[in-house]
Amino acid sequence: MKPRVMVINPEVYMYGGAERQIVELCNYLTFHDFPVTVVVPKAIPEFKRNFADARVFEVGNLDVCKQLFQKFDVINPHNHPAELCVYPAKFPTVWQLNEPPDYVLQGEPLKPEERKIVNESVDEIVVISQPEKERVKLLYGREATVNYPGVRHGFFSEPSVEV
C-alpha cells in the first residue's frame, strides 16, 4: 500500500500559483496510486474541480487537521501558517514553502517560536527557486530542496484571446 498523503493549505480564495502547484502535485500522486486528501478551511469551486482523484476536505479551520493526522502517512503543508499546525505532533512532514510569512516579507524578523516549530516538526522543506532556498537557510537555519515547477505547455500554447 502506498503512503496516504494529506496536503494542507490555509485558504483557497483564488486559483493562483500555490493552488495550481497543489493540484498538479495531487494529480501526479493520484495518477501514481497514492491516496491523497487535500485539507483546507474553505475552497473555491475552481480549485476543487481541477483534481483528478484527490479528495478535497473543507474543515472550517486548520485546527481540525490535528484530529486527522493519524489517518495519513505523510503531511504536506503549503503556505504559512499551514506548517505550524503540525506541531507538536510528530508525523513525516514535507513543507512546500512558496514564500515566508507575510510579516517577514514586510521586513519583520521571523518569530523565534515559528522557527522552533518548523525545526522540530518539519522533516523536509521544498522551495521553487534558489533565492527561496537561500532565504530558508537565513530564516530557519535549514537546507531546502529546490523543486522547479514545470510549465504546462498546453496552457501557454493555446491561442490568446483579444480583450
Side-chain angles (χ1 to χ4, degrees):
M1 173 109 180
K2 295 207 176 180
R4 297 162 298 168
V5 179
M6 173 197 264
V7 176
I8 307 167
N9 198 42
E11 59 185 329
V12 181
Y13 59 88
M14 62 180 262
Y15 191 50
E19 293 75 24
R20 290 174 193 274
Q21 278 185 319
I22 291 169
V23 167
E24 293 294 328
L25 171 66
C26 293
N27 287 344
Y28 175 85
L29 290 172
T30 57
F31 179 78
H32 291 283
D33 299 322
F34 287 86
V36 178
T37 300
V38 180
V39 179
V40 294
K42 186 163 176 44
I44 61 172
E46 183 181 9
F47 177 71
K48 293 189 288 189
R49 73 173 163 253
N50 281 288
F51 291 98
D53 291 314
R55 254 180 26 167
V56 178
F57 189 45
E58 295 179 89
V59 295
N61 67 60
L62 290 181
D63 293 335
V64 175
C65 291
K66 292 181 186 220
Q67 300 166 21
L68 304 172
F69 288 155
Q70 68 277 2
K71 296 180 182 196
F72 296 90
D73 302 303
V74 177
I75 311 299
N76 178 230
H78 284 248
N79 294 334
H80 180 76
E83 77 284 4
L84 303 178
C85 74
V86 179
Y87 187 81
K90 188 61 181 142
F91 294 92
T93 302
V94 178
W95 177 25
Q96 175 64 50
L97 182 135
N98 295 310
E99 57 188 27
D102 286 343
Y103 70 88
V104 172
L105 292 173
Q106 295 167 2
E108 295 179 36
L110 181 68
K111 295 175 184 173
E113 61 271 19
E114 289 186 8
R115 181 181 179 147
K116 177 184 187 292
I117 288 170
V118 167
N119 285 324
E120 290 182 9
S121 62
V122 172
D123 298 298
E124 297 286 334
I125 300 173
V126 178
V127 296
I128 63 169
S129 70
Q130 188 62 36
E132 204 61 50
K133 177 180 179 168
E134 293 164 12
R135 184 162 33 190
V136 165
K137 184 72 170 171
L138 289 172
L139 292 173
Y140 298 96
R142 302 262 312 260
E143 290 297 324
T145 300
V146 178
N147 182 25
Y148 298 103
V151 174
R152 288 181 33 209
H153 178 71
F155 175 80
F156 290 103
S157 63
E158 293 174 4
S160 60
V161 177
E162 301 262 338
V163 180

